[in-house]
Amino acid sequence: MRGMERSARLAGGGQEEAMFTALIRTVILYILIIAGVRLMGKRQVGELEPSELVLSLLIADLASVPMQDLGIPLHAGVVPILALLSLTMILSVLTMKSIRFRTLMCGRPSIVVRDGKVDQGEMRRNRLTVDELLEELRGQGVTDLKDVQYAVLETSGQVSVLLRSEAQPVTPRQLSLNVTEQLLPVLLINDGRLLRDNMKKMDVDDAWLRQQLKREHLTDPSQVFLLSLDQGGNVICQAKEDV
């Protein structure tokens, strides 16, 4: 019996050690993947260049193997990921320095609609169907091809649309109207948390804050879900639901 209990304890200790090892591996690989995503900049999945999409897929595949199989050394996943990230940095520098290299890696934009007419050759070269083109146009509020001066298929796969002058929305400048500029609000309270640095940027103090809270029949910042202020002095204050 004692031998069986000892074996059970050893097995339990081995399982705990394996779980801890798996946790450490996961954290390390997660940090590397985040670094890879940050290297690609602030892009959505649909905006990735072909090389960046390939990098994302390779890193995900390389990271999954050491996470699942503890028999594989951690460096077997870390080294290839670091090599890919280094290669990405080199390619990024080359694409900035050389237009030809960027064209080779990322391709170049294609004009698929010109003066309201679809360029069928460009559509075939980019394997873009009419349904996909019309879907992209509808997504930008365009339903009539005749209104399109140019439609450009970007290297990210998105379609940029330039409307004819007569189809473009009228702007206040064209109507000679004086309009108030939109100002960016700055958060001063975020879910009950007082943001002192933002208060300093907006040049307000605790006395001003108490006055704003008093107007909303509140007594403490912890009761506020959101409070913002813009350069024009406009205040938005919303109390928490349970207040």
Side-chain angles (χ1 to χ4, degrees), residues 75-98:
H75 67 265
V78 172
V79 172
I81 291 176
L82 290 177
L84 285 174
L85 295 180
S86 301
L87 181 61
T88 299
M89 293 296 296
I90 294 173
L91 293 179
S92 297
V93 173
L94 290 176
T95 53
M96 287 190 298
K97 298 292 185 181
S98 173

Side-chain angles (χ1 to χ4, degrees), residues 158-172:
Q158 293 187 332
V159 176
S160 301
V161 179
L162 176 63
L163 297 176
R164 295 181 183 273
S165 300
E166 59 269 20
Q168 294 180 7
V170 179
T171 64

